[in-house]
Amino acid sequence: VNGKDFSIKKTYISFVEPSLISSVTPQRIQEGSATDILVEGENFLLSSDLQCRFGRQGHIWSPARWISDSSLRCMSPPLNLTHDGNDYIGVSNNGGHDTIRQKFALQINPRAQFLSMYPAVGYIEGGTDVIITLGNVKYISDLMCQFGFEVSPATVFSANRIACKAPPHRSGEVKVKLVSDGVHILA
């Protein structure tokens, strides 16, 4: 043009293939819990604008941690249980200025409920079998009990009853937590 009506300074835009999601891990998350999610796919750009988008309308954003052009990690916000038990995740290479091209379903499970634990006393040398009864359990895998900072694998007896062996611990009270798929689900 004539150099008067437009800036002489050159600005550029990069055109790239849209990001595509092929899988997410975990595929099931508990309602109300923020969860670290591994997203695999293609065309993920190393950029401060790389984001994950959550929700049916894609209105909730979370910065993504780029691993490679085919994988990234992002933290889900605490999502609510939906009428059909599903919510969605998408990826944006440009800070969310594009429209959502692909949504990938996440199953949202109702929050499990702690009903009881027996016994409430164990010995400092460990080995006590602790029975925990849960309610509202829809899906759990890789279940562990955490006694303070010590972790013990859980044995599942039924859909709502598990057992864990208490590890050795110094005298005193300790908080017991349940962890499923590496995500804290109950305290």
Side-chain angles (χ1 to χ4, degrees):
V1 199
N2 64 11
K4 295 178 183 172
D5 296 329
F6 296 96
S7 170
I8 299 173
K9 184 177 179 183
K10 296 178 181 161
T11 42
Y12 298 93
I13 184 170
S14 295
F15 291 92
V16 298
E17 293 289 328
S19 58
L20 298 173
I21 300 172
S22 57
S23 68
V24 296
T25 306
Q27 292 180 333
R28 294 176 178 94
I29 62 176
Q30 182 176 309
E31 73 170 314
S33 296
T35 304
D36 186 37
I37 297 178
L38 173 65
V39 180
E40 295 180 303
E42 54 188 78
N43 305 322
F44 302 147
L45 298 180
L46 176 57
S47 163
S48 61
D49 289 333
L50 185 62
Q51 295 185 3
C52 293
R53 181 187 304 212
F54 292 92
R56 292 182 178 273
Q57 304 301 317
H59 296 305
I60 306 169
W61 290 97
S62 173
R65 294 183 317 271
W66 185 85
I67 299 170
S68 71
D69 65 344
S70 61
S71 62
L72 59 86
R73 294 192 87 80
C74 52
M75 186 65 70
S76 79
L79 297 170
N80 294 322
L81 190 62
T82 60
H83 69 283
D84 64 359
N86 290 315
D87 215 322
Y88 297 91
I89 182 173
V91 173
S92 172
N93 282 316
N94 66 2
H97 293 283
D98 56 358
T99 57
I100 200 159
R101 297 179 183 273
Q102 179 194 22
K103 294 187 229 177
F104 201 88
L106 289 172
Q107 183 176 347
I108 311 299
N109 291 328
R111 181 179 295 278
Q113 298 168 336
F114 176 84
L115 298 178
S116 67
M117 180 177 74
Y118 184 82
V121 174
Y123 297 106
I124 59 172
E125 64 269 5
T128 302
D129 285 322
V130 178
I131 308 299
I132 299 172
T133 304
L134 305 170
N136 207 24
V137 177
K138 186 170 182 181
Y139 175 84
I140 53 175
S141 68
D142 288 337
L143 189 63
M144 306 289 278
C145 294
Q146 184 174 337
F147 296 84
F149 295 106
E150 300 296 322
V151 176
S152 171
T155 301
V156 178
F157 288 124
S158 67
N160 63 350
R161 198 163 183 190
I162 64 166
C164 295
K165 253 192 212 311
H169 199 277
R170 70 185 190 301
S171 184
E173 285 188 349
V174 65
K175 188 170 198 159
V176 178
K177 296 179 181 179
L178 296 181
V179 176
S180 175
D181 287 328
V183 178
H184 166 251
I185 61 169
L186 286 175

